[in-house]
C-alpha cells in the first residue's frame, strides 16, 4: 500500500486521491497536487485500483469526504474506468478525472457512459500551472459548491439492434451528455424494472429517463435535447453572425467571431464536431504530436466558444436562407426564423449511403455511417467490416482493431495511396488484425433483426463472396446536402457552394450581384453570406484547413460589415 495518509490532526480536510500503476508518475502527480492543494486537501496516493479502493474505504469509515479522483486509464488488473465505477459507490459526488498517455476515444466514451466523467486529461500534464491546476481548480470549486447529493444520470433503455436506440445513445454521447445504457434482454432485470417503474412496455423503446425522473418514450432529438439541458432556443432574434454547422469550420468561425466581439450564434442540426468529431484519433493536426480524438478537439472548441459568449443551438435544422434588406434570414424546419447581418455556411458533408440491396433497412441495426464509437465495445471478439479508403476509414480501422477479432477494410480502388495519409497507411499493419481488401465492393447484405451477412464483389474479376457479418461501417463519398439552397446560392454540379474567384466567369461578377466590388474570397453569390470547410467547392478535406477557413471567414465578415 503506497497511500500517504496524514495524521489525525488534519483529518477534517477532504481528500484528493490519485492512482497510477507507474510509481514515477504516481509520485509526480502527488507531488504536484500537494504543492498546489496540500494546505486545503489531503493528498492520497495509490499504485493500483485495489489499493486505491482500500484507501477510499478507510476514508469512508472515518466519515470524511473525497473531493476528486484522478485515475490512470491503462492499469493492469483494474482499469481507471473500472476503478472509478467502484469508487462512485463510495463517493458518488467526488469529481472524476481520467489520465491517459494518448488520445483514446473509447476511454472517453466509456467514461462518459459509465462514470459520468468530469474531465479527460492527457499525460504529460507539464507544466501543471497550465494543464493540471486550472482543470482541478474548476472541478474543486464546483465540488465545494455542490450539495453533496448523489449524482444522477440520464438512463436509456432499449434493444441492442434497435435503430432508434442506437441513434439516441449516439446523440447523447456526441453531445457529451452522461448517460447509462440498459439493454433490454432476458438477463438485464434492471432494464425491465426501469420500464415497469416508468409505466412503459417493451414496445415503447427506446425509453429515456431524465435526471428528474421523467420518462421520454421514443423521444425525437429535439425533445431529448430540451430535456437533458442542451440549448435549443435563441436568446434573441437578431445577431451579428449566424454560423450554420458546428464541425471544425463552424467551431473555428464561432470561436473567432465571439472572440472578436461579434454577437454570434452557432446552429447545429445534430451534434458539434461533424465527421471529425467521430474520429477516434487525429494525428496530423498541428499542436497535438501524440494525436487527439475528434471528441476531445470538439469539446475543447465548444468550451472555447462558450467562453467567448457564443450561443450554441442544438437540433435546429435550417431549411432556407434569404436576404431581407440588409439582413440575412435563416428559417428552421419548425417555421421559426433567425436574422443576422451575416451568415457563415459550415454545414460540411455527409457520408453517402450504400445502395446495395438489403442494407437500407438495416441502418442502425448493424449498418452504420461514420465511426459510431459508442458501438466499439459491443464489437469485442467479432469481425468488423469497414467501407472506404480515406483517412476517416483508416482512423476507424485503428480504433476498432482494439475491440474486434478482425477488422476488414473494403476499398474500391486498387490501393490506399491516393486517398489515405501515409501515417495511417503505415499504421494499419501494426495491430495485426486489420486486413485490406482492394478492388472490392459491397453489393448486398441480409439479416432479420440485424445484419447477418454481406456479399462482396471483386470489381475486376466479378467474383462474389458471401461472408457472415454483424457490423458494417461505411465511410464513402462526400455529399454536401445543400438542396435547401436551390435558387439562393450558386453551387457546382455536385452541389458544393461556389465562392470568391470561383464565382467569376471571364472576370464578370455572378448573375444578380449588385455590389460594385467582386465577392470576397469565401463570399458566396449572396453578399454577406460566406462559406467555410468541406461544403465549399474544391475545398481541402482536412480538419486544419476547415478551422483555418472558419477563422478567415470571420475576417471577411468584418470587412463586409465595415463597408456595409
Amino acid at each position: 500500500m503506497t497511500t500517504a495518509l496524514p495524521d489525525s490532526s488534519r483529518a477534517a480536510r477532504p481528500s484528493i486521491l490519485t492512482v497510477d500503476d507507474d510509481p514515477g508518475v504516481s509520485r509526480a502527480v502527488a507531488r504536484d497536487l500537494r504543492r498546489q492543494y496540500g494546505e486545503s486537501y489531503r493528498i492520497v496516493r495509490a499504485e493500483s485500483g485495489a489499493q486505491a479502493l482500500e484507501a477510499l474505504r478507510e476514508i469512508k469509515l472515518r466519515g470524511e469526504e473525497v473531493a476528486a479522483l484522478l485515475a490512470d486509464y491503462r492499469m493492469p488488473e483494474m482499469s481507471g474506468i473500472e476503478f472509478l465505477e467502484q469508487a462512485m459507490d463510495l463517493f458518488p459526488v467526488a469529481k472524476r478525472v481520467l489520465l491517459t498517455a494518448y488520445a483514446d476515444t473509447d476511454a472517453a466514451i466509456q467514461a462518459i457512459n459509465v462514470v459520468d466523467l468530469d474531465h479527460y486529461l492527457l499525460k504529460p500534464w507539464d507544466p501543471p500551472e497550465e494543464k493540471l491546476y486550472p482543470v482541478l481548480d474548476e472541478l474543486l470549486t464546483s465540488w465545494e459548491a455542490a450539495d453533496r447529493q448523489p449524482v444522477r444520470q440520464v438512463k436509456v433503455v432499449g434493444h441492442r439492434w434497435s435503430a432508434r436506440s442506437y441513434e439516441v445513445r449516439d446523440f447523447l454521447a456526441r453531445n457529451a451528455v452522461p448517460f447509462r445504457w440498459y439493454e433490454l434482454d432476458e438477463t438485464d432485470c434492471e432494464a425491465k424494472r426501469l420500464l415497469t417503474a416508468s409505466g412503459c412496455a417493451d414496445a415503447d423503446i427506446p425509453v429515456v429517463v431524465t435526471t428528474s425522473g421523467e420518462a421520454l418514450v421514443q423521444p425525437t432529438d429535439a425533445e431529448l435535447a430540451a430535456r437533458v439541458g442542451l440549448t435549443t432556443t435563441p436568446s434573441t432574434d437578431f445577431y451579428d453572425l449566424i454560423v450554420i454547422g458546428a464541425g471544425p469550420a463552424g467551431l473555428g468561425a464561432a470561436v473567432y467571431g465571439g472572440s472578436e466581439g461579434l454577437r454570434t450564434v452557432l446552429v447545429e442540426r445534430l451534434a458539434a464536431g461533424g465527421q471529425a468529431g467521430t474520429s477516434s484519433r487525429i494525428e496530423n493536426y498541428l499542436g497535438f504530436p501524440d494525436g487527439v480524438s475528434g471528441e476531445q478537439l470538439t469539446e475543447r472548441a465548444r468550451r472555447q466558444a462558450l467562453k467567448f459568449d457564443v450561443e450554441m443551438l442544438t437540433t435546429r435544422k435550417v431549411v432556407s436562407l434569404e436576404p431581407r434588406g440588409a439582413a440575412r434570414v435563416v428559417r428552421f424546419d419548425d417555421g421559426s426564423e433567425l436574422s443576422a447581418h451575416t451568415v457563415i455556411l459550415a454545414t460540411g458533408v455527409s457520408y453517402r449511403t450504400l445502395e446495395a440491396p438489403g442494407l437500407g433497412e438495416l441502418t442502425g441495426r448493424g449498418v452504420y455511417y461514420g465511426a459510431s464509437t459508442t458501438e466499439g465495445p459491443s464489437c469485442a471478439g467479432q469481425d468488423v467490416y469497414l467501407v472506404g479508403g480515406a483517412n476517416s476509414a483508416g482512423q476507424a480501422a485503428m480504433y476498432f482493431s482494439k475491440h474486434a477479432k478482425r477488422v476488414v477494410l473494403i476499398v474500391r480502388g486498387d490501393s490506399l495511396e491516393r486517398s489515405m495519409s501515409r501515417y495511417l497507411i503505415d499504421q494499419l499493419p501494426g495491430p495485426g488484425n486489420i486486413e485490406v481488401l482492394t478492388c472490392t465492393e459491397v453489393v448486398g447484405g441480409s439479416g432479420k433483426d440485424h445484419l447477418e451477412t454481406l456479399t462482396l464483389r471483386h470489381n475486376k474479376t466479378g467474383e462474389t463472396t458471401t461472408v457472415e457479418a454483424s457490423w458494417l461501417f461505411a465511410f464513402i463519398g462526400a455529399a454536401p446536402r445543400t438542396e435547401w439552397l436551390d435558387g439562393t446560392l450558386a453551387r457546382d454540379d455536385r452541389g458544393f457552394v461556389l465562392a470568391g474567384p470561383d464565382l467569376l466567369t471571364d472576370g464578370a461578377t455572378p448573375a444578380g450581384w449588385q455590389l460594385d466590388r467582386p465577392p470576397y474570397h469565401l463570399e458566396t453569390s449572396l453578399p454577406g453570406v460566406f462559406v467555410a470547410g468541406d461544403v465549399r467547392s474544391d475545398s481541402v478535406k482536412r480538419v486544419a484547413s476547415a478551422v483555418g477557413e472558419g477563422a478567415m471567414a470571420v475576417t471577411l465578415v468584418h470587412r463586409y460589415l465595415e463597408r456595409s
Side-chain angles (χ1 to χ4, degrees), residues 327-341:
R328 300 294 176 258
V329 181
V330 298
R331 182 176 291 108
F332 299 112
D333 58 351
D334 63 357
S336 61
E337 295 181 345
L338 203 57
S339 302
H341 292 300

Side-chain angles (χ1 to χ4, degrees), residues 202-283:
D202 290 12
D204 294 327
I205 60 96
V207 173
V208 178
V209 182
T210 68
T211 56
S212 64
E214 180 184 10
L216 308 177
V217 178
Q218 300 176 1
T220 64
D221 288 348
E223 291 170 337
L224 194 55
R227 296 298 197 282
V228 299
L230 300 176
T231 302
T232 60
T233 305
S235 63
T236 186
D237 56 4
F238 198 91
Y239 294 82
D240 294 321
L241 172 63
I242 298 172
V243 181
I244 304 175
L251 287 166
V255 167
Y256 279 89
S259 67
E260 295 181 14
L262 296 176
R263 186 164 192 183
T264 303
V265 60
L266 179 60
V267 178
E268 170 55 42
R269 182 179 59 85
L270 181 62
Q275 287 187 10
T278 65
S279 295
S280 56
R281 194 177 181 191
I282 303 169
E283 295 189 71

Side-chain angles (χ1 to χ4, degrees), residues 252-531:
V255 167
Y256 279 89
S259 67
E260 295 181 14
L262 296 176
R263 186 164 192 183
T264 303
V265 60
L266 179 60
V267 178
E268 170 55 42
R269 182 179 59 85
L270 181 62
Q275 287 187 10
T278 65
S279 295
S280 56
R281 194 177 181 191
I282 303 169
E283 295 189 71
N284 58 353
Y285 188 68
L286 184 67
F288 292 89
D290 297 318
V292 62
S293 73
E295 182 185 17
Q296 285 180 299
L297 193 63
T298 297
E299 178 59 16
R300 293 180 183 187
R302 188 190 67 82
R303 287 165 46 200
Q304 207 169 5
L306 293 174
K307 170 186 174 182
F308 294 121
D309 297 322
V310 173
E311 288 187 39
M312 303 185 71
L313 307 182
T314 307
T315 65
R316 299 308 301 268
K317 182 180 179 181
V318 179
V319 296
S320 70
L321 167 66
E322 65 179 73
R324 195 173 295 169
R328 300 294 176 258
V329 181
V330 298
R331 182 176 291 108
F332 299 112
D333 58 351
D334 63 357
S336 61
E337 295 181 345
L338 203 57
S339 302
H341 292 300
T342 58
V343 172
I344 294 177
L345 293 173
T347 51
V349 294
S350 302
Y351 291 118
R352 297 186 186 277
T353 57
L354 293 165
E355 301 301 329
L359 295 183
E361 56 269 30
L362 295 173
T363 300
R365 296 189 291 132
V367 178
Y368 306 93
Y369 294 91
S372 189
T373 51
T374 55
E375 301 304 291
S378 301
C379 301
Q382 301 180 54
D383 290 346
V384 171
Y385 288 81
L386 310 177
V387 182
N391 280 9
S392 53
Q395 291 160 354
M398 295 300 297
Y399 167 73
F400 284 110
S401 69
K402 294 181 290 186
H403 300 282
K405 179 178 68 176
R406 186 171 66 120
V407 177
V408 182
L409 189 58
I410 301 170
V411 183
R412 185 171 57 180
D414 55 11
S415 76
L416 294 170
E417 304 291 336
R418 289 180 296 179
S419 56
M420 188 177 293
S421 294
R422 170 50 58 181
Y423 82 90
L424 276 169
I425 296 175
D426 293 341
Q427 285 182 0
L428 291 179
N433 62 342
I434 299 176
E435 300 177 18
V436 180
L437 298 181
T438 57
C439 303
T440 304
E441 300 176 65
V442 176
V443 295
S446 67
K448 185 178 180 182
D449 297 323
H450 62 89
L451 179 66
E452 296 174 5
T453 69
L454 286 173
T455 302
L456 311 179
R457 181 179 64 199
H458 194 282
N459 57 30
K460 290 188 176 179
T461 67
E463 180 182 357
T464 61
T465 306
T466 298
V467 296
E468 293 185 359
S470 295
W471 305 94
L472 175 68
F473 298 87
F475 307 83
I476 56 171
R481 311 296 188 209
T482 55
E483 297 84 359
W484 60 281
L485 292 170
D486 281 348
T488 303
L489 300 182
R491 297 173 295 151
D492 65 19
D493 55 4
R494 295 179 299 160
F496 291 90
V497 177
L498 295 168
D502 293 334
L503 288 167
L504 306 179
T505 304
D506 297 327
T509 54
W513 186 264
Q514 298 178 353
L515 301 183
D516 59 359
R517 61 165 178 82
Y520 294 133
H521 183 66
L522 297 177
E523 194 169 20
T524 69
S525 57
L526 177 59
V529 176
F530 300 82
V531 63

